[in-house]
């Protein structure tokens, strides 16, 4: 086996979306770094079954404005 080909592992802290924390070993960052997750198994719809509409950059408002007149006529 070749020497010095494996990445160096060190301890980091991971902060979940709900604020809970845990320590793990990783090749990410450097010793003592903190990884803050934007999405994880506690907030992702694939695991929670709850779908949320996120309006990024006004896309929902743009959609509603564009198709406002396509509703059923009374």
């Amino acid at each position: 086996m070749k020497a010095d080909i494996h990445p160096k592992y060190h301890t980091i802290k991971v902060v979940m979306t709900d604020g809970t924390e845990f320590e793990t070993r990783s090749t990410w960052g450097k010793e003592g770094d903190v990884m803050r997750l934007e999405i994880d198994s506690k907030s992702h719809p694939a695991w929670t079954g709850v779908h949320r509409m996120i309006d990024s950059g006004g896309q929902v408002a743009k959609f509603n404005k564009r198709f406002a007149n396509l509703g059923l006529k009374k």
Side-chain angles (χ1 to χ4, degrees):
M1 184 187 287
K2 292 182 180 180
D4 299 325
I5 63 169
H6 297 288
K8 304 293 182 212
Y9 281 87
H10 46 270
T11 304
I12 65 167
K13 185 186 331 180
V14 179
V15 180
M16 307 286 275
T17 56
D18 67 348
T20 58
E21 305 174 347
F22 65 93
E23 284 191 0
T24 188
R25 290 174 34 92
S26 175
T27 59
W28 179 85
K30 58 187 183 296
E31 181 76 31
D33 278 354
V34 177
M35 178 186 286
R36 297 186 186 281
L37 302 179
E38 294 178 6
I39 193 157
D40 61 17
S41 61
K42 295 179 180 182
S43 63
H44 194 279
W47 286 280
T48 63
V50 177
H51 295 277
R52 289 179 276 174
M53 188 181 304
I54 300 172
D55 187 7
S56 59
Q59 291 178 350
V60 173
K62 183 178 176 181
F63 177 87
N64 288 336
K65 180 180 176 185
R66 182 174 180 187
F67 296 106
N69 296 329
L70 290 180
L72 297 174
K73 301 198 183 217
K74 294 180 181 179

